[in-house]
Amino acid sequence: DVSQVDGSIVYTSNNQLFTILRDGSNRSMIVDGGVRDPGNPATTVLSNPLWSPDAQTIAFGHKGINLYSVVAGQSTLTLPSKIDSAGFGQMFWPESYSPDGTKLLITIAPVASDGSFSAIYTPGSNTVIEIIDPFGGAGSTCCSFSWSADSASIYTGTAFLSPFTSAGLSRVDTNSG
């Protein structure tokens, strides 16, 4: 991801999280995700790094939603994935920050089953609100998401029908789903 503030880049490589300035200098590993579990690599992969709009925080997926404070140089697992000893449960990873930086659009993926769905995660209150498609229930919104400038809504659209989605454009209230 590219910082809107100064053009710095955050990326993953070899299950590690790096930052680099836009001119290619000052490459720095900031998080080491460790070795991936060969039996279920999806549960231990470090993924989807995102700069917050003010470039003070980097959200990323690794055993759940993590927030890395650029100022403190510290990463915190704020929303752990919920996986039981049999390997079933839910994994979480970030998709996009709201324009005001207070919310994250996240993906929730059931482990050991098909499908995933979207939700709004508010780190300040540690709340998750599932996005509900009025035609298909929880988890059936799909594909193209765009935040409103005031962060109060997300627009989602799809041009195709499947058993899991409704064609059309929807507006989602980010406080209620």
Side-chain angles (χ1 to χ4, degrees):
D1 192 32
V2 178
S3 166
Q4 297 173 20
V5 173
D6 66 2
S8 294
I9 297 169
V10 62
Y11 65 97
T12 63
S13 178
N14 198 30
N15 219 34
Q16 297 171 324
L17 190 65
F18 292 89
T19 58
I20 192 167
L21 296 179
R22 68 181 177 188
D23 67 2
S25 67
N26 204 28
R27 180 175 181 261
S28 180
M29 184 187 63
I30 58 173
V31 175
D32 186 346
V35 178
R36 287 195 229 173
D37 178 355
N40 195 353
T43 61
T44 54
V45 68
L46 198 149
S47 67
N48 294 41
L50 302 170
W51 285 103
S52 64
D54 65 2
Q56 297 300 301
T57 305
I58 298 169
F60 64 95
H62 183 252
K63 301 179 182 179
I65 303 290
N66 294 263
L67 300 177
Y68 177 85
S69 168
V70 174
V71 173
Q74 181 81 20
S75 180
T76 304
L77 178 62
T78 60
L79 184 63
S81 292
K82 300 172 185 172
I83 302 171
D84 65 20
S85 60
F88 292 94
Q90 295 179 322
M91 295 185 306
F92 309 119
W93 61 85
E95 295 293 344
S96 68
Y97 262 103
S98 62
D100 66 6
T102 63
K103 299 174 184 173
L104 282 163
L105 176 65
I106 65 170
T107 293
I108 300 175
V111 178
S113 66
D114 292 331
S116 65
F117 55 96
S118 299
I120 306 298
Y121 173 54
T122 306
S125 61
N126 202 36
T127 56
V128 175
I129 299 171
E130 292 180 20
I131 294 178
I132 307 297
D133 180 341
F135 303 107
S140 57
T141 55
C142 176
C143 303
S144 298
F145 294 92
S146 183
W147 288 90
S148 63
D150 64 1
S151 302
S153 302
I154 290 179
Y155 294 91
T156 177
T158 184
F160 64 89
L161 287 174
S162 80
F164 309 106
T165 62
S166 300
L169 177 68
S170 300
R171 183 185 64 78
V172 176
D173 180 309
T174 60
N175 292 314
S176 67

